[in-house]
Amino acid sequence: MASFHAVIIGGGGTGAAVAHDLTLRGYKVTLVERGEVTSGTTGRHHGLLHSGARYAVKDKESAVECIDENMILRRIAPGSFELNDGLFVALTEEEANYSHEFIEACHECGIPARRLSAKEVLACEPNVNPDVIMGVQVPDATMDAMRMPLRFFATAKHSGATIKTYTEVVDFIKRGNAVSAIRVRDHTTNKEYEIGGDIFISAAGAWSGKIGDMVGVEVPIRPSPGVMLAVRGRLCNMVINRLHASGDGDIIVPQRALSVVGTSSWVVDDPDNLGLPRDHIDMMIKYGSELIPGVRTAPFRAAWSAARPLIGPRGADTGRELSRTFKCFDHADEGVEGFVTITGGKATTLRGMAEATANVVCQKMGLEIPCGTREFTLLPHTAYYA
Amino acid sequence: MAEQIIEFKVQRYKQGQPAPTYQTFKTLCDDNTTVLVALQDIRRDQDGSLVLRHSCHHASCGTCGMRVNGKEELGCVVKVLDLGTSTVTVEPMRNMPIISDLVVNMEPFYDRYNAVGMPYVRQSEYLDEADLAEGLEAYQRYENCIECNLCVSGCPIMGSDELYLGPATLAAARRVIEEPRGVPTKPLLDWVDSENGCWRCHVAYECNTACPSEVYPGDQIMALRRDLTKRKFRGLFGRGGKG
Ligand SMILES: Cc1cc2nc3c(=O)[nH]c(=O)nc-3n(C[C@H](O)[C@H](O)[C@H](O)COP(=O)(O)OP(=O)(O)OC[C@H]3O[C@@H](n4cnc5c(N)ncnc54)[C@H](O)[C@@H]3O)c2cc1C
Ligand code: SF4
Ligand code: SF4
Ligand code: FES
């Protein structure tokens, strides 16, 4: 095929997966990232490979997306996850009653869900609140927020994609109504230059509103941060969730020798200025210790914020809606050609988001090339720097 | 809440420049501000050309290794006001080629480290009294080593001998010998039993001090030496006996 040049802006998990997908479909791919790869939201997220159970009652579409992608990632990224399952625990009668609806919804979405008595919960997870009434076991897992996407970068790079880090997009150049090049600044040399291409894909997460502004299109994104708290010691082996409709501080993800409590949610204007509200850290300790009392006494390791790209009322929603969970905006709808934005979603669904985006790109280029990422075993993360 | 304006003396370097220089910035820190966040604030508000590596912000990815007041540290878990100095000096890790400012080229690290082929997931030894949940073979967790290179930066031998396999690689080899998970161990033992392997180490344990992730690479090197000594004696006296 004629090799089109696709230029991706943003080196988080989404950009990584789009780079891998388009490379497999035969595109020439260049990805630019202003910092190190995964230095945006991706590296900082909670590290939960969602089973989808959390969404099963309220948002079946997200739940199905999660379990499908969860199973695909286990297959294409073997050795990358702590496969210890997840446990939703009920601490009140109300939560125990909710378990019937919850398990049924999981099964409807194809998520294995197994009821455990209080005794069984405590036998598996001795540190859980002894007042636990019952629990539900689901196929959640722990992912390494950086190293899992690094496998997509490594694979794309070894198949020919060019990954340019410390390279920030500072402007877009248009020919007529079509984007024809980006202007970038290489921070390792302080020099600016242009990169031309046939199609430009913004995968800039919480920054995609800012990128849209540079192009002159409306991307209705508001950065919505959440706080996470890591304490020393592995207080659980499974991911511990509160069995209720989602709330703050209701997930504890064990990882390596740490336990990570998250998260909260608010809205800011600047994704580079999130702050770290003290009351949110306190909230993580309060709610986290309801699940596992040891959170309160475990030694502090770190607290930090990360921003979701909240698809919201930043203006009219003119984009093509591929899913309620993530969106791929083809800005041709607003009269700008050669420019697509992919945003929203989850780290768990990065591959699916990339498949949907690459389908839009192929459609725009008038090509029909099937997606190859479902069965493609990724290189180990260590291949990225080698 | 304590707040203080802190002076940061940061090593700067852009490609093409003859040698690194130092630049000073002032920024407001409170008692939660980490060195990493202070540097990000400086980049946002004062100098967008400052480059550094970071990702997880909780001592898990290993990208933010740097020298803070001359000591190997992860910038994301060092609180500025805990340092107790009104000027904080920040420099890139040693014994590695510098790409720009605080960013070093990690290729030499992985060239050595990848040769071991250590699986990234190990059996978890935490909560060993816990019952195994149905459907699982064992509770698993990630290895301790976060590939941050701080031990390499702190190691005096690495500085003088670039052929030395170095603490992180030797510690990874020891983990494979301890829990092979399908990786063959004999070639690894042969590999570390060399002039550039575990006999090159001076055993002053600077690497143990530098490691933020409980690997204790110096201890692992000692354990390798014990494994090799045992193997040697087995070869001399044991196993097949006389026949
Ligand atoms: C608190 C929190 C917890 C979460 N927990 C989970 C979880 O447990 N499991 C899960 O599956 N998902 C989780 N998520 C969601 C997940 O983190 C995100 O959906 C995902 O990481 C988004 O990836 P991305 O690549 O789209 O964005 P990002 O990772 O933010 O990537 C965008 C990149 O664009 C770069 N960029 C910006 N501007 C420019 C420019 N001008 N030039 C060049 N590059 C630029 C940025 O530096 C950044 O690296 C969580 C999110 C939050 C906020
Ligand atoms: S103990 Fe050995 S490996 Fe560790 S710093 Fe010293 S010389 Fe280097
Ligand atoms: S052994 Fe410790 S210091 Fe060395 S790379 Fe691994 S985690 Fe970092
Ligand atoms: S940012 Fe990941 S270890 Fe510091």
Side-chain angles (χ1 to χ4, degrees):
Chain A
M1 66 169 258
S3 190
F4 287 117
H5 186 196
V7 179
I8 302 164
I9 298 137
T14 308
V18 173
H20 170 53
D21 190 313
L22 287 175
T23 305
L24 274 187
R25 296 197 208 206
Y27 286 76
K28 174 177 183 241
V29 171
T30 303
L31 181 145
V32 294
E33 161 58 50
R34 65 175 190 166
E36 173 61 293
V37 291
T38 74
S39 59
T41 302
T42 295
R44 265 178 264 182
H45 72 63
H46 203 167
L48 170 58
L49 179 70
H50 282 279
S51 61
R54 190 175 170 79
Y55 309 107
V57 171
K58 281 211 171 139
D59 183 356
K60 292 219 155 38
E61 194 183 340
S62 300
V64 170
E65 226 165 66
C66 283
I67 188 69
D68 286 353
E69 294 300 328
N70 176 313
M71 292 299 151
I72 293 173
L73 286 176
R74 286 170 191 243
R75 209 166 58 229
I76 66 173
S80 261
F81 306 102
E82 294 181 357
L83 294 172
N84 298 325
D85 282 359
L87 201 53
F88 281 75
V89 296
L91 300 176
T92 64
E93 283 303 332
E94 194 189 333
E95 289 166 9
N97 286 335
Y98 179 64
S99 71
H100 301 285
E101 187 186 355
F102 177 79
I103 292 175
E104 199 179 295
C106 283
H107 288 161
E108 276 168 23
C109 297
I111 303 164
R114 198 170 72 88
R115 178 179 294 274
L116 270 69
S117 68
K119 204 168 149 225
E120 288 169 317
V121 167
L122 290 169
C124 291
E125 292 294 352
N127 289 335
V128 159
N129 188 338
D131 294 336
V132 62
I133 298 173
M134 52 79 63
V136 182
Q137 184 186 343
V138 298
D140 284 345
T142 298
M143 77 167 111
D144 184 310
M146 178 190 199
R147 289 178 178 83
M148 198 277 283
L150 216 47
R151 296 185 68 162
F152 283 86
F153 279 116
T155 311
K157 193 172 142 183
H158 286 271
S159 319
T162 305
I163 317 287
K164 291 177 179 280
T165 47
Y166 312 107
T167 302
E168 181 163 5
V169 176
V170 292
D171 203 1
F172 283 79
I173 294 136
K174 287 190 203 160
R175 201 181 293 129
N177 68 342
V179 175
S180 62
I182 48 173
R183 188 161 184 81
V184 297
R185 173 171 273 264
D186 178 345
H187 290 303
T188 69
T189 58
N190 271 346
K191 295 208 167 71
E192 287 192 10
Y193 62 100
E194 286 176 14
I195 302 173
D198 302 300
I199 177 85
F200 294 80
I201 301 143
S202 166
W207 290 265
S208 50
K210 284 191 170 182
I211 299 291
D213 291 345
M214 281 187 211
V215 181
V217 295
E218 183 70 31
V219 180
I221 285 299
R222 300 207 60 193
S224 164
V227 161
M228 265 141 322
L229 166 74
V231 295
R232 283 184 191 267
R234 205 177 159 96
L235 300 170
C236 46
N237 275 316
M238 306 166 84
V239 177
I240 307 296
N241 302 258
R242 185 88 183 240
L243 181 52
H244 63 181
S246 11
D248 289 332
D250 59 352
I251 309 180
I252 301 176
V253 181
Q255 182 242 80
R256 195 171 277 109
L258 300 173
S259 303
V260 184
V261 188
T263 175
S264 59
S265 172
W266 74 102
V267 176
V268 299
D269 289 325
D270 181 0
D272 288 314
N273 202 354
L274 306 180
L276 182 62
R278 202 162 289 250
D279 51 325
H280 285 237
I281 303 177
D282 294 340
M283 202 153 79
M284 292 309 115
I285 297 174
K286 177 174 185 292
Y287 293 130
S289 59
E290 287 177 14
L291 286 170
I292 297 183
V295 164
R296 196 174 286 282
T297 46
F300 173 91
R301 184 56 163 155
W304 71 101
S305 304
R308 312 168 182 79
L310 190 72
I311 303 178
R314 197 175 177 248
D317 178 1
T318 55
R320 184 189 334 229
E321 196 167 329
L322 287 169
S323 157
R324 266 180 301 147
T325 57
F326 58 85
K327 280 188 183 183
C328 183
F329 300 91
D330 178 354
H331 299 284
D333 301 353
E334 294 156 86
V336 176
E337 277 300 343
F339 183 64
V340 168
T341 298
I342 172 71
T343 192
K346 288 172 192 57
T348 303
T349 59
L350 80 175
R351 192 216 61 86
M353 291 167 74
E355 177 175 346
T357 309
N359 286 345
V360 170
V361 168
C362 283
Q363 202 188 335
K364 283 177 78 67
M365 307 315 272
L367 297 173
E368 234 179 275
I369 311 166
C371 173
T373 57
R374 274 170 197 265
E375 306 295 338
F376 197 100
T377 306
L378 300 166
L379 291 177
H381 75 270
T382 46
Y384 176 71
Y385 294 102
Chain B
M1 178 173 55
E3 273 190 345
Q4 203 183 324
I5 291 181
I6 298 288
E7 191 174 86
F8 281 80
K9 192 177 156 204
V10 183
Q11 184 173 318
R12 301 299 306 269
Y13 172 77
K14 297 293 166 194
Q15 280 167 39
Q17 194 179 308
T21 53
Y22 285 88
Q23 189 177 0
T24 303
F25 302 94
K26 287 193 172 111
T27 185
L28 185 68
C29 298
D30 68 26
D31 42 20
N32 263 333
T33 310
T34 59
V35 171
L36 171 59
V37 167
L39 292 169
Q40 286 184 293
D41 288 351
I42 290 169
R43 179 173 63 189
R44 182 191 64 227
D45 301 331
Q46 301 180 46
D47 188 344
S49 73
L50 178 65
V51 295
L52 59 148
R53 294 176 77 219
H54 61 93
S55 180
C56 72
H57 292 224
H58 65 286
S60 168
C61 71
T63 59
C64 69
M66 55 183 82
R67 280 185 306 141
V68 178
N69 289 343
K71 270 179 64 192
E72 274 70 22
E73 301 279 8
L74 294 176
C76 68
V77 286
V78 175
K79 293 190 175 175
V80 177
L81 298 189
D82 287 352
L83 291 167
T85 54
S86 57
T87 300
V88 174
T89 305
V90 187
E91 298 161 304
M93 288 187 284
R94 287 179 291 199
N95 306 329
M96 302 294 274
I98 296 177
I99 291 179
S100 176
D101 298 338
L102 301 172
V103 178
V104 299
N105 183 350
M106 288 296 285
E107 271 176 35
F109 176 91
Y110 284 100
D111 285 346
R112 292 185 292 264
Y113 190 82
N114 290 0
V116 177
M118 175 173 71
Y120 188 53
V121 173
R122 64 183 277 175
Q123 236 185 59
S124 175
E125 74 284 31
Y126 285 86
L127 294 167
D128 55 4
E129 77 279 22
D131 281 1
L132 202 57
E134 197 178 282
L136 303 179
E137 278 164 32
Y139 286 124
Q140 322 173 320
R141 70 170 181 94
Y142 295 132
E143 281 287 353
N144 279 339
C145 179
I146 56 173
E147 302 156 23
C148 65
N149 192 62
L150 286 173
C151 55
V152 173
S153 176
C155 172
I157 304 295
M158 276 325 294
S160 59
D161 180 358
E162 57 181 35
L163 292 177
Y164 179 38
L165 296 180
T169 301
L170 290 169
R174 165 68 189 160
R175 274 294 304 144
V176 172
I177 286 154
E178 208 179 8
E179 190 188 334
R181 293 157 284 177
V183 180
T185 56
K186 175 156 187 314
L188 270 183
L189 268 172
D190 294 343
W191 187 57
V192 301
D193 187 11
S194 67
E195 208 184 313
N196 299 322
C198 63
W199 306 108
R200 188 82 184 80
C201 164
H202 279 198
V203 210
Y205 298 119
E206 294 91 337
C207 52
N208 279 3
T209 310
C211 180
S213 201
E214 295 166 44
V215 178
Y216 306 107
D219 295 7
Q220 303 304 320
I221 293 168
M222 285 307 103
L224 277 178
R225 289 187 179 183
R226 280 195 302 275
D227 291 342
L228 285 168
T229 308
K230 250 191 265 162
R231 180 170 88 154
K232 196 166 149 202
F233 277 99
R234 267 211 305 268
L236 286 177
F237 306 116
R239 291 290 139 103
K242 272 192 265 170

